[in-house]
Amino acid sequence: MRKQRKGLPIQWLIAGAIVVCVLAMLSIVMVQGYRGGTAALVAAANDSARQLAMVLNERARRLTLPAQSVIRVLAHDRIAAADSLEERFAQLPALAETLSGNPMLSAVYVGYDTGEFLLLRPLKSGTPRIAAAPDDATYLLQSVAFDERGSLRGRWLFLGEDLQMVGERSTPDYWFDPRQRPWYQEAEESGRVVMTHPYVFFTTGEVGVSLAVRSQAGDAVIGMDAAVDDLAAEMRDLRLTSSTELAIVDAEVGVIAYPDPERLIRGEGAGFRLASLEELGVAPLLELQHWSSDSRPTPFSVNGEIWYGLNLPLRGFEQTDARILIAIPAWELLREARALLRHQIVWAAGLVLAVLMLGWVLGLRLGRSIRQLAGWVEALADFRFSATPPMRSYVREVNELQLATSHMLRAITHFQAITSCLSHEMQLERMLPVVLEHLVKAVDGEGGVVYLCDEDNDLLELAAVYGDERYRKRFTLSESLPGEVYAALDAVRERYPGFELLPLHDRKSTLLGVLAIKRAEQTDANVQPYLQRFLQSLSGTLAVAIETRQLFEQQQALLEAIIKVLAHAVDAKSPYTGGHCERVPELAEMLLQQAATVSSGPLRDYQPDEEERYAFRIAAWLHDCGKITSPEYVVDKATKLETLYNRIHEIRTRFEVLHRDAQLAYWQGRCAGEDEAALAAALNERLAQLQRDFELVATANIGSEAMSEDYVQKLEEIARQTWKRHFDDRLGLSAEELARLESVPERPLPATEQLLADRPEHRIPWGERRPPVEADDPRNRWGFDMTLPEYAHHFGELHNLTVRRGTLTPEERFKVNEHIVHTLVMLSTLPFPRSLQQVPDIAANHHEKLNGGGYPRRLAAEQLSVPARIMAIADIFEALTAADRPYKAPKTLSESIRIMVRMAREQHIDAELLALFLSSGVYLTYAHKYLHPEQLDEVDVPGYLEELRQARALQDG
């Protein structure tokens, strides 16, 4: 029984849905209202802030523009040409008039090129009084001038309103050199009116700027100080909210103006300076100082609180980079918007309660029929497909849901049948008709057909049919479906309106075929688009079945092709062994086919299935894949002295040297006056002996017959002959060749050397490339059991020439046999699927012997499977009869079979399988296809079968 899931009643769901909708709409309205109010308030704040910036900019311009006009006029005043204090007193009325006409000016002064200085400052009521200033003093005159002794003397004089002196303050320490001040230097350099950055005036403690210009009437610079304290008052009066923070900041000097000016001045030594924004300690303004100019107030967070900020330029001070920082707290700016939002929430809560009651009533009326339908669907979910459907409902949608559920139930039934067919039927030819039938029935169709794509022949082939319709067997793909497949299908639908045509694609949209389903006549036209999409989904099941089968076949074909490419690559390495890797699999499969039909004897239990046959075929093609690592000069070695070339030519050259030496000895004797006849006889004997010795060496190089001990001794005698080398044997060598000679001492020239020699450099040690084939090697995890030669290579001339049989030295024979080691190692690293797990063993065991004397692992008979034994017979027979080996002549059929029977008697190969090889005629079928006509002689099959019967008895015993 399905566990019941708890949930809410339908009336709650309907009521909740209505409430959610209402809440959503109210939320949108309230959010939009709140956002609109917020936007309006932010816009208003933006306008106010910009109005404030305009006021401050205008105020700054009013402070500086008049002063600039006045100072240009003073640049022509004669006070700059006055040489004494008395003459300068005469010009004071012009300076006093300038100060009275421009209240924003703090002082007017003149700095002379001689270092003298004159400053006139009004003593205003709002300006801090100078210490010791008389009550009736209106002006302070600060002077630095030359006295009667020619020394600069500083004086502070207090003047009345009529510019007459009313007092003097003793200032013995007062000294001021205007030429060291920035305003003097900047005016001197620029030649125009200059303005300094704002700073704190030393005398009055006011914040202001200095303006200066070079005098046109004398050698002096005219300057004046303009206070900007009025900006702070403007800012105080124009704050947008009570907590709004305002400041005017210059990045070089600090805070120029702030509503609380007392926080701006900082003591520094004997003077004062402006506080930096960090020293002011206003966190929102600190956040704004690195902002660029913004088009509107931008929100930001400080200590968890939201502020709106603006960073605007102050354009009144043209030669400074002053900025206006404005930070407005969001809790004050948006106070009205939040109050409106709270009011809306109260109204929304009341509306939601009313809607909730309405939804409850509607839900009770609708829930009854839905609960009945839910009970039936629950029964279907519990796999009780025979449950009785509910009665008709007063709700049309419930009836439609019941009908749709019935259709779904029928579709589920057909899907079950399709799934069962796909999981049990392996053959595509039998699977397609069953799947097609259930697809047609699932959509209430009248028939259907499946065509599969034959891309090689550009055809669509009939693959399955359901119904009474007759269909063409095939038609050309390019003519039937030109261009885009779906566009072509639309054209076909117009011609055959009763069919739904669907292309079958794989997961990469490659066309696999076409599915056509004939619709029922009563199909509603409005349903057709949905039916088509449903059929497209259903057709995917059929496409998956087709793709899976084809993909499996293609993967098998790809794997076999890759394996054959590897086999052909091995064969292509040598022109003498080409075709071996192709002929052995064919011969092995012929013998495997015969072994699978045996119903008695030891082979009666060997009944390979398709997977085992496939694994054997793969192993047969891979049985010599390790030969790809075998050196070609070893595989193709036709003579004993052959490496990358036949070294008999080098030895023949040495004989030529001895031949010349013999002639030289003759002529040297003649010159010395020796007997001519004796010399000629000795020469002829020596030359004849050299011919005989070289012929013996050359014959030994062929390696066609077994070499006796006497022959070996003769070669050793020949080898002891010497010749003289007059050239350095270390010139023109590769790095590897020179490395071999490092341990060999260099001999002085001319050097006497043996005619044939096994020199130290001929012996190449294994080094780090020692293969792990010995049984006690800890790296050997494959179970190899082979004898490893002392050297990796031995190129010694006498060592090679004295090989007793064939052309291969023990080192080279190991290299040849090592291919099976590489075969097993290479195949063991491949991730074969479970059905191909035996491929490495089958491929690598064809050189093992039943008596345990084979290689590379010396396996016993019980460790060798039937496929491995078959591979051994096929490999040996192909090798014996092959006509493309440079080191041997091809053997006839009778010679080959005689050798193999002897091997069976010696328990090298399986006698039972060799008997089957002969009795079934497999050997003869292969021979007629691949052997030369002269190799096809008579074979005494009955006689050999009798010998093999005795050998089988011996193996069984």
Side-chain angles (χ1 to χ4, degrees):
M1 175 65 67
R2 177 182 296 274
K3 183 178 179 180
Q4 294 292 331
R5 294 184 178 178
K6 295 182 178 180
L8 294 175
I10 185 65
Q11 59 268 26
W12 278 106
L13 293 176
I14 293 176
I18 296 175
V19 169
V20 168
C21 293
V22 173
L23 283 176
M25 290 187 293
L26 291 175
S27 298
I28 293 173
V29 172
M30 288 188 290
V31 169
Q32 292 297 332
Y34 179 73
R35 288 181 176 176
T38 300
L41 291 173
V42 171
N46 181 45
D47 294 340
S48 299
R50 294 190 179 277
Q51 184 65 31
L52 170 61
M54 291 175 61
V55 170
L56 293 177
N57 279 318
E58 181 62 25
R59 181 59 176 167
R61 279 193 291 269
R62 289 205 311 267
L63 290 174
T64 59
L65 289 178
Q68 290 178 359
S69 299
V70 170
I71 198 171
R72 288 190 179 94
V73 173
L74 288 179
H76 299 277
D77 192 88
R78 293 188 55 80
I79 193 171
D83 294 332
S84 64
L85 183 59
E86 290 75 13
E87 292 179 4
R88 293 166 188 164
F89 257 97
Q91 300 298 325
L92 287 182
L95 299 184
E97 186 64 27
T98 298
L99 291 173
S100 62
N102 295 278
M104 79 291 298
L105 295 180
S106 238
V108 179
Y109 42 87
V110 182
Y112 295 92
D113 291 354
T114 59
E116 294 177 287
F117 178 69
L118 181 71
L119 179 145
L120 184 63
R121 183 185 307 279
L123 300 177
K124 303 176 184 178
S125 59
T127 304
R129 299 292 292 178
I130 305 301
D135 294 337
D136 56 349
T138 304
Y139 295 98
L140 168 64
L141 180 66
Q142 295 172 242
S143 171
V144 177
F146 289 102
D147 57 15
E148 59 276 2
R149 291 177 296 180
S151 300
L152 287 173
R153 177 189 174 195
R155 299 177 67 188
W156 281 27
L157 304 176
F158 296 98
L159 308 179
E161 188 174 354
D162 56 357
L163 298 179
Q164 296 300 315
M165 188 171 67
V166 297
E168 181 177 358
R169 175 181 171 183
S170 178
T171 55
D173 297 330
Y174 176 66
W175 181 87
F176 182 82
D177 189 351
R179 295 170 299 180
Q180 306 299 321
R181 303 304 295 165
W183 52 268
Y184 187 99
Q185 295 172 351
E186 291 178 15
E188 187 76 18
E189 293 176 0
S190 67
R192 57 184 177 84
V193 177
V194 298
M195 181 187 298
T196 65
H197 288 276
Y199 66 99
V200 181
F201 297 155
F202 175 80
T203 304
T204 63
E206 296 175 297
V207 178
V209 296
S210 294
L211 290 85
V213 66
R214 184 70 181 175
S215 173
Q216 302 297 318
D219 298 330
V221 173
I222 307 297
M224 56 182 58
D225 292 341
V228 296
D229 289 346
D230 288 351
L231 291 178
E234 295 281 357
M235 295 170 64
R236 227 178 359 257
D237 298 336
L238 294 176
R239 285 191 297 184
L240 303 180
T241 67
S242 60
S243 299
T244 297
E245 292 288 353
L246 298 168
I248 299 176
V249 180
D250 187 301
E252 294 191 17
V253 300
V255 181
I256 300 172
Y258 184 68
D260 185 3
E262 294 181 358
R263 299 174 61 181
L264 294 185
I265 309 303
R266 292 286 188 275
E268 187 174 54
F272 302 94
R273 64 173 176 82
L274 293 173
S276 66
L277 198 56
E278 289 77 9
E279 292 173 327
L280 193 62
V282 180
L285 298 181
L286 281 172
E287 181 70 21
L288 289 175
Q289 67 175 330
H290 300 300
W291 286 22
S292 59
S293 211
D294 288 319
S295 59
R296 57 173 297 159
T298 303
F300 63 95
S301 177
V302 176
N303 299 327
E305 296 179 347
I306 304 300
W307 293 71
Y308 284 84
L310 278 170
N311 184 324
L312 302 171
L314 180 65
R315 307 188 188 281
F317 297 157
E318 297 177 353
Q319 300 181 26
T320 65
D321 187 22
R323 310 287 297 182
I324 304 172
L325 306 183
I326 305 174
I328 311 168
W331 65 89
E332 291 182 351
L333 179 63
L334 305 180
R335 183 180 294 116
E336 294 180 6
R338 292 176 177 174
L340 177 61
L341 180 61
R342 286 193 295 270
H343 184 69
Q344 290 176 338
I345 290 174
V346 173
W347 279 98
L351 183 59
V352 167
L353 289 176
V355 170
L356 180 61
M357 298 302 299
L358 177 61
W360 176 268
V361 175
L362 291 176
L364 287 176
R365 299 291 300 274
L366 297 176
R368 187 177 301 107
S369 58
I370 295 177
R371 282 193 294 272
Q372 294 177 356
L373 179 60
W376 181 50
V377 174
E378 182 70 20
L380 298 181
D382 289 332
F383 310 105
R384 290 181 284 130
F385 299 125
S386 59
T388 303
M391 300 294 292
R392 289 182 58 83
S393 171
Y394 292 106
V395 181
R396 182 177 61 184
E397 287 76 7
V398 174
N399 292 328
E400 291 175 352
L401 179 58
Q402 178 182 341
L403 181 60
T405 305
S406 299
H407 286 294
M408 180 186 67
L409 177 60
R410 183 171 65 252
I412 290 174
T413 304
H414 290 298
F415 280 141
Q416 286 178 321
I418 291 173
T419 303
S420 177
C421 179
L422 292 177
S423 61
H424 293 89
E425 184 55 64
M426 297 295 295
Q427 296 297 324
L428 185 62
E429 297 78 8
R430 293 196 296 266
M431 179 177 61
L432 278 179
V434 177
V435 174
L436 176 62
E437 176 184 355
H438 287 287
L439 281 176
V440 173
K441 291 181 177 179
V443 298
D444 293 331
E446 296 181 354
V449 63
V450 175
Y451 285 92
L452 293 184
C453 185
D454 182 0
E455 294 182 358
D456 294 335
N457 299 313
D458 197 28
L459 295 175
L460 283 176
E461 296 278 356
L462 183 66
V465 175
Y466 175 72
D468 300 328
E469 292 284 338
R470 290 184 173 275
Y471 303 95
R472 292 173 55 182
K473 294 293 184 182
R474 67 183 59 83
F475 49 89
T476 304
L477 182 61
S478 58
E479 293 179 356
S480 304
L481 297 175
E484 294 293 332
V485 174
Y486 281 102
L489 288 181
D490 289 338
V492 176
R493 289 190 190 98
E494 292 178 2
R495 185 174 180 183
Y496 302 101
F499 280 83
E500 288 291 339
L501 301 178
L502 299 165
L504 301 176
H505 289 129
D506 63 10
R507 282 164 287 188
K508 293 186 178 180
S509 300
T510 302
L511 184 65
L512 300 176
V514 175
L515 167 66
I517 294 181
K518 186 177 182 181
R519 299 190 300 269
E521 294 182 359
Q522 67 273 18
T523 303
D524 189 350
N526 296 326
V527 179
Q528 289 182 9
Y530 305 101
L531 175 62
Q532 185 177 10
R533 286 196 290 270
F534 179 61
L535 283 174
Q536 289 175 352
S537 300
L538 290 179
S539 65
T541 304
L542 184 59
V544 167
I546 296 171
E547 181 189 8
T548 301
R549 179 63 180 176
Q550 292 180 346
L551 182 61
F552 176 72
E553 293 175 353
Q554 291 168 359
Q555 286 179 337
Q556 281 191 319
L558 176 62
L559 177 60
E560 291 191 25
I562 293 175
I563 290 171
K564 290 180 180 179
V565 166
L566 179 60
H568 291 318
V570 173
D571 284 342
K573 280 187 63 177
S574 169
Y576 305 113
T577 59
H580 171 77
C581 292
E582 184 175 352
R583 293 191 292 265
V584 168
E586 182 176 350
L587 179 58
E589 288 195 73
M590 292 167 61
L591 183 54
L592 178 75
Q593 185 65 30
Q594 294 297 324
T597 61
V598 175
S599 57
S600 61
L603 296 175
R604 64 181 179 276
D605 295 330
Y606 180 63
Q607 299 295 325
D609 56 21
E610 287 300 322
E611 288 186 349
E612 291 174 325
R613 289 172 184 264
Y614 180 67
F616 179 81
R617 182 164 63 254
I618 297 300
W621 277 97
L622 290 172
H623 80 285
D624 269 350
C625 66
K627 280 187 177 178
I628 201 168
T629 65
S630 300
E632 293 180 29
Y633 80 89
V634 174
V635 176
D636 299 342
K637 189 175 183 183
T639 63
K640 294 181 180 180
L641 289 173
E642 187 171 347
T643 52
L644 297 179
Y645 69 98
N646 190 348
R647 292 181 292 165
I648 191 66
H649 307 298
E650 183 179 337
I651 292 176
R652 183 173 61 247
T653 301
R654 298 177 196 164
F655 274 96
E656 294 285 358
V657 171
L658 294 180
H659 189 280
R660 300 298 185 275
D661 288 346
Q663 291 179 328
L664 288 174
Y666 168 77
W667 289 110
Q668 288 171 349
R670 288 284 302 273
C671 291
E674 297 180 18
D675 183 55
E676 180 180 357
L679 289 172
L683 173 62
N684 292 333
E685 175 60 27
R686 176 58 175 161
L687 295 180
Q689 180 63 41
L690 289 174
Q691 291 289 346
R692 290 192 299 272
D693 290 348
F694 178 72
E695 184 177 354
L696 190 145
V697 171
T699 302
N701 186 43
I702 301 301
S704 57
E705 297 180 359
M707 183 174 290
S708 64
E709 187 65 32
D710 291 340
Y711 206 138
V712 172
Q713 291 178 359
K714 291 178 182 179
L715 286 175
E716 292 175 347
E717 291 175 4
I718 294 172
R720 284 193 289 271
Q721 298 182 56
T722 60
W723 64 287
K724 288 188 177 182
R725 175 173 57 82
H726 293 78
F727 297 92
D728 192 344
D729 61 353
R730 284 168 167 77
L731 295 179
L733 302 186
S734 66
E736 183 179 357
E737 291 174 306
L738 289 173
R740 297 177 194 166
L741 291 171
E742 287 181 353
S743 60
V744 180
E746 188 171 357
R747 300 167 63 190
L749 298 176
T752 300
E753 296 187 354
Q754 288 190 198
L755 186 59
L756 301 174
D758 293 342
R759 295 192 294 273
E761 61 267 26
H762 286 152
R763 302 177 180 90
I764 312 301
W766 286 106
E768 296 180 356
R769 304 186 67 178
R770 185 182 186 89
V773 298
E774 296 170 297
D776 57 352
D777 193 323
R779 300 172 298 159
N780 182 5
R781 57 186 179 86
W782 297 274
F784 298 130
D785 189 3
M786 299 177 69
T787 301
L788 194 67
E790 182 179 0
Y791 300 104
H793 302 283
H794 195 322
F795 299 127
E797 297 160 345
L798 198 59
H799 178 73
N800 278 261
L801 285 170
T802 55
V803 170
R804 300 305 177 96
R805 183 179 295 276
T807 62
L808 300 180
T809 64
E811 294 79 13
E812 292 166 339
R813 189 164 298 281
F814 175 80
K815 282 293 181 185
V816 172
N817 293 344
E818 192 183 16
H819 81 274
I820 203 64
V821 171
H822 292 296
T823 296
L824 184 57
V825 171
M826 289 165 60
L827 296 182
S828 298
T829 61
L830 298 179
F832 284 111
R834 185 168 49 220
S835 59
L836 300 179
Q837 289 294 316
Q838 296 303 315
V839 166
D841 283 335
I842 297 173
N845 288 345
H846 64 278
H847 286 297
E848 300 288 355
K849 299 178 181 178
L850 298 183
N851 61 7
Y855 67 91
R857 295 184 286 185
R858 300 185 187 276
L859 300 179
E862 58 273 12
Q863 296 174 284
L864 297 175
S865 63
V866 172
R869 300 182 185 201
I870 292 175
M871 282 296 305
I873 292 175
D875 189 72
I876 293 171
F877 185 75
E878 193 283 333
L880 290 173
T881 59
D884 51 10
R885 304 296 194 272
Y887 45 80
K888 72 174 187 64
K891 298 189 181 298
T892 63
L893 270 179
S894 59
E895 290 175 323
S896 302
I897 298 301
R898 182 171 64 253
I899 293 173
M900 295 182 71
V901 170
R902 174 175 54 81
M903 295 175 70
R905 289 199 307 269
E906 295 173 357
Q907 299 188 39
H908 291 179
I909 59 177
D910 189 285
E912 184 73 25
L913 285 171
L914 183 59
L916 179 63
F917 183 69
L918 296 175
S919 62
S920 64
V922 170
Y923 80 99
L924 198 57
T925 302
Y926 174 83
H928 283 299
K929 186 173 182 179
Y930 291 108
L931 270 60
H932 294 171
E934 58 270 19
Q935 294 179 260
L936 302 177
D937 58 354
E938 289 294 327
V939 178
D940 183 14
V941 175
Y944 288 137
L945 290 178
E946 178 60 26
E947 289 187 45
L948 292 174
R949 186 187 63 78
Q950 297 175 7
R952 291 199 301 273
L954 181 61
Q955 289 177 3
D956 295 340

